[in-house]
Amino acid sequence: MSASHNPGTGTQDSAEIISEHLARTQFSDLPSAVVTTVKSAIIDTLACVLAGTPGEEIASIQSLVRQWSGAQSSTVIGTGGLKVPPDNAVLANAAAVHQYDFDDTHDKAVCHPTAGSLLASLALAQEKGGVSGKELITAIALGNDVTCRVALAITGKLNAYPWLRATIAGIFGATAASAKILSADAAQHRHALGLALPQTGVTLASLHHGGSSVRSIRDGLTYRNSVLAAELAMRGVRGDAEVFDGPYGLYHAYLRGEYDRSQLVDELGVRYETARVSLKPWPSCRHLHGTLTVVIDLLNRHGLKFEDIDHVLLHVGDINLDRCRDVSVGMVPAQRIDLLCNLPFAVGAALRYADLPIRLYRESALADEIVTTAVPKVKWVHDPKQNGPWTLEPGMVEIFTVSGKTYAGEARLALGHPDNPMPPERLKKKLVNCAAAAARPLSEARANEIFDKVMNLEQLADIEDLARLVA
């Protein structure tokens, strides 16, 4: 497709084709691999929300939605039972999901689909009542597919536009999931997408200016609007036409018309990008995970301890070079979100722990110890071989020991990618650890109950049984 694709007069807008697909697709149409992936994504996203609940920002948002009150229909996760109107529940829950940049990612599209689709559809399912596990899975499978397709269709580089790709794509997937929960027909789906269009936003400002809370709570600010779009469409409110392909649609208004329409509409119902979403084994932006995969694998494979290591050399291309910025003591907690995208800090932490525990981004003393003793062991070199057609760089690392030995490794796919997946036991451990780190910690037994409930979600007659476990 050309950089300024226009389907031409008389051609259906992609939103109309997608809406017809959303309306007709049922649980029985979903491939088994998609169902399995969705269940893992639900577990992973609930874990991320629970881990994100202790922050001051989240406490402030929870206080606000409690004050606003209203219909007690939808659960604010990790509060011990607080229920509020669905849009406010999405505001609170989605604001928590990205606190540690631990949420799932489509590695090629670079979006975080389940944060929007799960938290919006779960809130509306509780308001509607009597929604089954199969219905929730279907809504998330479809919503995630829409989010990933919208993001994949963008042909320009990740930061070539002033807009944050994850949320301007995610609002459409969250809206699709929301409308599906409400049993929308094709016209209602199309109007919901058209009502999401004028609510699309979030710029790159928070990535370039420190001190903003927007970078961590952006999902809450955005995805509550998906609930509004779906609810209004179900009540007969009409949305904008030509949502994607029109001169004032998403791609021409926001992205200079630089997109590939085939990514939006080809093989709908056959190719589910939902099944291509990666889960994160470590809290940090996905860009760091290729390198972390290599470092931790080398440490474990060769039995290396922190004191064995003289230094580590990271080979980075243009993408990760920008993530090799200086760090200093005192960055936690105020600059936690920036630290989560810092490659030398993450690698230094991996050298110390052979892992990346959440507490490093919470406890200033632990973070400062990494900055002063571990980060100095991390060196990097700009390597043009690391530049390529990928959006997320592969990992290329050399570890030099004090005894004079050198260990090298590469990873084309980071751990958690669907072709290099996290095993179920590791996903369960992530849930247990995140639940224990919540503002109201959940026991390992409760976390295991949540895990088992979701793994058998298609047998659940009413998702309220799941909501009660994460309340």
Side-chain angles (χ1 to χ4, degrees):
M1 294 290 175
S2 68
S4 56
H5 171 73
N6 189 326
T9 304
T11 301
Q12 272 186 308
D13 187 83
S14 299
E16 296 179 31
I17 298 171
I18 290 170
S19 295
E20 291 166 1
H21 163 66
L22 293 172
R24 67 173 173 261
T25 303
Q26 302 302 318
F27 179 83
S28 58
D29 299 316
L30 300 177
S32 59
V34 171
V35 174
T36 299
T37 301
V38 167
K39 291 191 288 187
S40 294
I42 292 172
I43 292 167
D44 187 81
T45 302
L46 291 174
C48 294
V49 176
L50 287 165
T53 55
E56 291 182 6
E57 297 160 338
I58 304 309
S60 296
I61 292 171
Q62 290 179 355
S63 174
L64 178 62
V65 299
R66 190 187 299 271
Q67 178 182 319
W68 279 345
S69 189
Q72 297 180 2
S73 60
S74 305
T75 297
V76 178
I77 293 172
T79 58
L82 174 63
K83 287 190 173 184
V84 296
D87 60 331
N88 290 345
V90 176
L91 171 61
N93 294 332
V97 75
H98 195 68
Q99 289 292 307
Y100 294 95
D101 212 333
F102 215 175
D103 40 331
D104 63 12
T105 306
H106 190 292
D107 285 5
K108 185 176 180 181
V110 192
C111 56
H112 305 280
T114 315
S117 64
L118 169 62
L119 301 175
S121 57
L122 180 62
L124 282 175
Q126 286 189 271
E127 181 190 52
K128 181 180 179 182
V131 174
S132 70
K134 287 183 178 180
E135 291 174 281
L136 185 66
I137 291 170
T138 305
I140 294 167
L142 292 170
N144 282 8
D145 190 47
V146 169
T147 293
C148 296
R149 284 173 174 271
V150 171
L152 278 171
I154 303 169
T155 55
K157 291 184 178 179
L158 182 61
N159 292 330
Y161 316 97
W163 309 103
L164 188 71
R165 182 179 299 202
T167 51
I168 67 167
I171 189 173
F172 294 101
T175 299
S178 297
K180 187 65 179 178
I181 285 292
L182 297 178
S183 304
D185 60 25
Q188 290 165 329
H189 270 292
R190 212 279 297 155
H191 285 302
L193 295 174
L195 289 164
L197 178 63
Q199 301 183 86
T200 301
V202 183
T203 73
L204 298 181
S206 64
L207 274 65
H208 296 283
H209 305 295
S212 170
S213 296
V214 173
R215 189 168 178 177
S216 60
I217 68 169
R218 65 196 190 192
D219 291 355
L221 299 176
T222 299
Y223 299 140
R224 66 177 310 208
N225 296 331
S226 66
V227 170
L228 176 61
E231 293 267 30
L232 290 176
M234 298 304 293
R235 287 161 172 76
V237 178
R238 297 179 297 278
D240 288 330
E242 300 184 324
V243 176
F244 295 127
D245 302 316
Y248 309 109
L250 175 72
Y251 293 101
H252 288 280
Y254 286 77
L255 302 160
R256 301 193 293 260
E258 297 171 353
Y259 77 114
D260 180 353
R261 187 174 188 261
S262 68
Q263 293 286 356
L264 286 173
V265 297
D266 284 5
E267 298 183 297
L268 280 170
V270 176
R271 169 175 58 86
Y272 278 90
E273 291 297 331
T274 302
R276 304 302 297 166
V277 174
S278 301
L279 305 183
K280 292 183 181 179
W282 306 289
S284 59
C285 74
R286 186 63 175 165
H287 291 279
L288 313 188
H289 282 221
T291 301
L292 288 170
T293 296
V294 180
V295 170
I296 293 174
D297 177 66
L298 289 174
L299 294 175
N300 291 333
R301 186 155 24 114
H302 300 289
L304 297 174
K305 305 299 182 185
F306 182 72
E307 54 272 17
D308 299 327
I309 297 164
D310 180 77
H311 70 281
V312 174
L313 183 64
L314 314 179
H315 292 255
V316 299
D318 294 341
I319 296 171
N320 275 355
L321 184 63
D322 189 50
R323 287 157 182 83
C324 292
R325 300 188 180 189
D326 291 339
V327 293
S328 58
V329 297
M331 293 185 71
V332 169
Q335 294 174 271
R336 177 194 73 250
I337 196 70
D338 298 319
L339 207 55
L340 284 158
C341 284
N342 188 281
L343 187 57
F345 180 87
V347 171
L351 296 180
R352 172 66 77 186
Y353 294 98
D355 196 0
L356 211 59
I358 285 179
R359 66 181 187 273
L360 295 179
Y361 297 98
R362 285 187 177 178
E363 301 176 29
S364 58
L366 291 178
D368 290 348
E369 193 272 337
I370 295 298
V371 170
T372 56
T373 68
V375 172
K377 293 190 176 190
V378 182
K379 317 295 181 185
W380 59 89
V381 60
H382 185 241
D383 188 340
K385 294 195 297 293
Q386 290 294 89
N387 296 327
W390 43 77
T391 304
L392 304 179
E393 283 184 17
M396 183 181 293
V397 177
E398 295 172 273
I399 296 181
F400 299 84
T401 68
V402 294
S403 65
K405 293 182 179 179
T406 302
Y407 302 95
E410 296 183 43
R412 290 294 165 186
L413 297 175
L415 182 63
H417 186 279
D419 295 331
N420 185 20
M422 286 168 49
E425 313 83 67
R426 180 151 192 161
L427 177 58
K428 179 183 282 191
K429 182 180 178 182
K430 177 175 177 178
L431 175 61
V432 168
N433 291 342
C434 287
R440 296 170 60 95
L442 302 185
S443 67
E444 183 173 351
R446 173 67 71 87
N448 287 334
E449 191 177 355
I450 294 168
F451 184 91
D452 293 340
K453 186 74 71 175
V454 177
M455 292 302 288
N456 295 285
L457 190 58
E458 64 268 51
Q459 300 174 23
L460 201 63
D462 190 337
I463 57 85
E464 189 64 36
D465 292 344
L466 172 62
R468 277 194 290 269
L469 291 176
V470 299

